[in-house]
Amino acid sequence: MAFQCRKTAEVDASNHLVHSVDRLLEEQVEIESHREKENVTFESKIENLEFENLKPTSEFHPKRGTLTLYNVKSLPVDEALLNYSRLASEHDVWKEYYYERWGQPIVRTPLGLGYSDEKTWKELFVEREFRSKTFLGRYSIDVLYGHTEAVRTVFLLASKKLIFTSGYDSIVRMWDMEEGLAITSSRPLGCTIRAVAADTKLLIAGGTDGFIHGWRAKEGLSYLFDLKGSQNQNTEFRRWEHEGPITCLALDLTRIYSGSWDMTIRVWDRSLLKCLKVLRHSDWVWSLVPHDTTVASVSGSDVYVWDSDNWSQSAFVSNVHAGNIYSLARSHTGKLLFTGGEDGAIHMFEISNHCGENNLQQVATWIPHSGPVYSLSFEFPWLVSASSDGKLSLIDVRKLLKRSRHAAPGNPKRSNDSYQKNVEPPQRMLHGFGSNLFSVDIGSDRVVCGGEEGVVRVWNFSQALEIEKRARALRGMRLENRMRRRKLQIDMNGKGGRAEQCSVAAKKNLVNGDRNGVWHNKHGVRSKLKA
């Protein structure tokens, strides 16, 4: 009889769980008509994970048809809950949240219904967030020798683990990021190379003679570009349009952007290699960063934002720094803009769109260097800067966002007071070099820098990642052991608690009995003595 009651209770519990899963699924379907309430609920969950900076841009609601893939009633309870949890983890909101911070992941293939060992978007996000903490840990420095004169530009292609450098010796060099060894180098291009940009299909370099020299990727080549090969028009090209030295280059999927001291930015068709548009400025162009439908640039001491649909000027801020603005960086979302200038200061702007117009709002400023800031590079949440004082500064942007929370565009009264006050100093300084540092880049647990010494330095933080993983595993083991000991203690107290109480009570009674016996004995002795 007892067995039958227990079995009935288990069946009732199973049915209760199945019905609860049904209610969960029905609630998720009904959420599509209550998006506002649902968005608040999910954002509160994100805040509990202490992701304070950015909010998901999309609402958390299931895709149409995804929940009809499973007949939940026909599945065991554990399997149904597992499938539902995996669907929630793989939802587009985690994907968009990842893309907003870091863009497309280096290694990612679609997750199929077979549920292979591939990671969900939620797992990718948590792992990348964990990796971002490595720049606070230990590092080793690799010094790459090969250039005979100062290095003016460095570029890190993290997806292929390649480093490209060039400078006054007019030679473009390619390095293996992992091994720290030279792979190949180009022939002398005839003038100083001040800018290099690359992706997996194209490598371009800009010279002080006003030309753009480029190499197309070669199929079957592990390191993509044959820099030493014969001058083949199919894989190598050179274009002349600028009337002054080229100072900055950038690539996107369809265009090439080049900025020059001739006070122009030229936009090129990537496939035809023809100039499509000329954007004119009032002074020398020092840096540019394209993103989606806008292009940000700096000229003299001014900041420009251009609309790439009609090539009109959509935002402009003058006299940002005391002197020229030498460097520019931008977040993956395109909403945060960083400038570094001749005065050693770094400013952070927020780009907002109001009624179809872009607005630049300065939300933070600080002065980490004693000399001009020649280069900036950004990978969420770290902004790294290189200066003529021979120092690198690593700044955690999340700290700045906390300080500038009251300086949002919605609070114009507080914004003026907020950005005029210098926020806290950089999170970390890397120094020890007495010469100018001209260029810096960050990515894949590395910081790459080149300067006047003619060498390339690579700060390798991968060791910090391994140490942090081991420390995390040890913390987990200690927590598990602590919980195990606590559970054993609770079990022991539960089993022996009644017996201990009885034994304590018996001891108390025994003591009281002895005392009473002694008292009676003494009383008896006294009565006898009186008699």
Side-chain angles (χ1 to χ4, degrees):
M1 189 66 180
F3 176 78
Q4 292 179 355
C5 292
R6 191 181 302 111
K7 182 176 181 180
T8 304
E10 291 177 356
V11 172
D12 293 339
S14 178
N15 292 333
H16 177 70
L17 287 176
V18 172
H19 291 311
S20 64
V21 172
D22 291 339
R23 287 199 303 272
L24 285 174
L25 298 181
E26 292 173 359
E27 288 175 1
Q28 290 298 325
V29 173
E30 291 176 358
I31 281 176
E32 292 191 6
S33 61
H34 303 85
R35 292 184 177 180
E36 295 181 358
K37 179 179 179 181
E38 171 197 50
N39 192 25
V40 172
T41 303
F42 187 75
E43 287 186 5
S44 65
K45 293 180 181 179
I46 294 296
E47 290 176 357
N48 291 335
L49 294 176
E50 297 183 353
F51 300 148
E52 302 171 330
N53 313 326
L54 301 175
K55 298 296 182 185
T57 56
S58 66
E59 298 171 349
F60 184 72
H61 57 87
K63 291 183 179 179
R64 292 190 178 95
T66 55
L67 297 180
T68 60
L69 294 174
Y70 307 103
N71 183 3
V72 180
K73 293 182 179 180
S74 64
L75 293 175
V77 175
D78 293 341
E79 186 175 353
L81 291 175
L82 177 62
N83 292 335
Y84 182 77
S85 174
R86 184 174 287 274
L87 283 174
S89 299
E90 185 61 18
H91 196 266
D92 284 347
V93 69
W94 289 104
K95 178 180 178 180
E96 294 189 11
Y97 205 17
Y98 187 101
Y99 270 65
E100 282 181 355
R101 293 194 174 196
W102 301 289
Q104 185 176 1
I106 296 176
V107 178
R108 172 68 182 172
T109 54
L111 183 71
L113 296 179
Y115 296 152
S116 63
D117 294 333
E118 298 168 4
K119 298 177 181 178
T120 64
W121 285 108
K122 179 180 178 180
E123 293 169 341
L124 284 173
F125 176 85
V126 173
E127 179 183 355
R128 190 62 182 267
E129 185 75 10
F130 170 72
R131 292 177 67 93
S132 66
K133 299 178 181 179
T134 60
F135 289 102
L136 291 174
R138 299 179 183 178
Y139 60 84
S140 60
I141 300 179
D142 297 328
V143 183
L144 312 182
Y145 295 93
H147 288 283
T148 58
E149 296 183 63
V151 178
R152 290 293 317 190
T153 178
V154 299
F155 187 90
L156 175 61
L157 187 59
S159 61
K160 296 299 181 180
K161 302 187 183 302
L162 297 174
I163 299 173
F164 301 94
T165 62
S166 191
Y168 288 153
D169 60 4
S170 73
I171 297 175
V172 177
R173 299 182 184 273
M174 184 191 306
W175 312 81
D176 186 298
M177 185 190 76
E178 295 288 349
E179 302 294 334
L181 300 175
I183 298 176
T184 185
S185 59
S186 70
R187 69 181 188 281
L189 299 181
C191 62
T192 298
I193 303 300
R194 299 181 65 97
V196 170
D199 57 19
T200 57
K201 301 294 183 183
L202 191 64
L203 167 65
I204 54 175
T208 54
D209 287 351
F211 63 79
I212 298 176
H213 197 97
W215 295 265
R216 293 187 177 89
K218 199 171 183 180
E219 293 185 3
L221 200 61
S222 59
Y223 50 88
L224 300 179
F225 307 103
D226 184 13
L227 302 184
K228 280 189 173 181
S230 59
Q231 299 184 25
N232 187 349
Q233 292 183 356
N234 294 327
T235 58
E236 191 173 355
F237 61 88
R238 179 174 288 193
R239 292 294 180 270
W240 303 77
E241 284 286 345
H242 285 284
E243 299 176 358
I246 293 177
T247 57
C248 49
L249 292 169
L251 295 169
D252 64 15
L253 295 177
T254 59
R255 301 186 184 103
I256 301 173
Y257 302 88
S258 58
S260 171
W261 283 354
D262 63 4
M263 299 187 292
T264 65
I265 289 177
R266 296 184 182 269
V267 184
W268 306 74
D269 183 280
R270 181 165 171 159
S271 58
L272 301 177
L273 299 177
K274 292 183 179 180
C275 183
L276 302 176
K277 187 66 179 178
V278 179
L279 307 178
R280 302 192 179 278
H281 298 67
S282 60
D283 205 334
W284 291 358
V285 177
W286 289 96
S287 186
L288 65 92
V289 182
H291 180 274
D292 199 12
T293 60
T294 60
V295 179
S297 61
V298 291
S299 171
S301 59
D302 306 329
V303 178
Y304 297 77
V305 177
W306 306 85
D307 190 335
S308 59
D309 291 333
N310 52 23
W311 301 115
S312 62
Q313 182 178 306
S314 59
F316 174 78
V317 180
S318 62
N319 300 321
V320 174
H321 288 264
N324 290 324
I325 304 175
Y326 290 135
S327 53
L328 184 68
R330 198 170 182 179
S331 64
H332 263 290
T333 60
K335 295 179 181 179
L336 298 179
L337 197 66
F338 305 91
T339 62
E342 191 174 356
D343 53 2
I346 298 175
H347 297 309
M348 182 175 73
F349 294 85
E350 184 176 358
I351 303 177
S352 59
N353 191 290
H354 181 67
C355 298
E357 296 183 358
N358 291 318
N359 298 316
L360 278 175
Q361 180 70 42
Q362 187 173 346
V363 295
T365 184
W366 67 104
I367 306 176
H369 297 288
S370 59
V373 180
Y374 286 131
S375 182
L376 291 172
S377 182
F378 181 75
E379 182 184 59
F380 189 90
W382 293 101
L383 175 71
V384 58
S385 60
S387 171
S388 63
D389 61 4
K391 299 178 182 179
L392 297 178
S393 66
L394 276 168
I395 301 100
D396 190 341
V397 174
R398 289 173 293 194
K399 302 291 185 181
L400 302 177
L401 292 176
K402 291 178 183 178
R403 288 295 187 92
S404 63
R405 184 175 299 170
H406 298 290
N411 299 326
K413 294 183 180 179
R414 298 185 179 182
S415 61
N416 293 332
D417 297 334
S418 299
Y419 75 76
Q420 289 176 358
K421 297 179 181 179
N422 293 341
V423 299
E424 61 185 12
Q427 186 76 23
R428 189 168 193 179
M429 297 294 293
L430 306 176
H431 51 84
F433 316 102
S435 59
N436 294 333
L437 300 180
F438 293 132
S439 183
V440 68
D441 204 355
I442 185 173
S444 188
D445 306 325
R446 305 292 199 283
V447 175
V448 185
C449 184
E452 193 174 15
E453 291 178 313
V455 299
V456 179
R457 284 185 170 83
V458 181
W459 283 264
N460 185 353
F461 290 86
S462 60
Q463 182 182 4
L465 180 63
E466 298 299 326
I467 294 175
E468 181 63 24
K469 284 182 178 179
R470 290 197 296 268
R472 194 175 186 181
L474 289 175
R475 287 195 298 267
M477 291 174 62
R478 287 197 296 267
L479 179 61
E480 184 179 355
N481 292 334
R482 192 181 304 120
M483 296 299 294
R484 189 179 301 164
R485 289 194 301 269
R486 184 177 300 175
K487 183 178 179 181
L488 289 175
Q489 184 177 2
I490 292 173
D491 293 342
M492 291 175 64
N493 293 337
K495 293 179 180 179
R498 184 65 179 173
E500 290 177 359
Q501 292 177 2
C502 295
S503 62
V504 170
K507 289 179 180 178
K508 288 183 177 179
N509 293 333
L510 180 60
V511 171
N512 293 333
D514 292 341
R515 287 180 179 176
N516 293 334
V518 172
W519 171 256
H520 289 305
N521 291 335
K522 289 182 178 180
H523 184 71
V525 171
R526 289 177 182 175
S527 60
K528 291 178 180 179
L529 291 174
K530 289 181 179 179

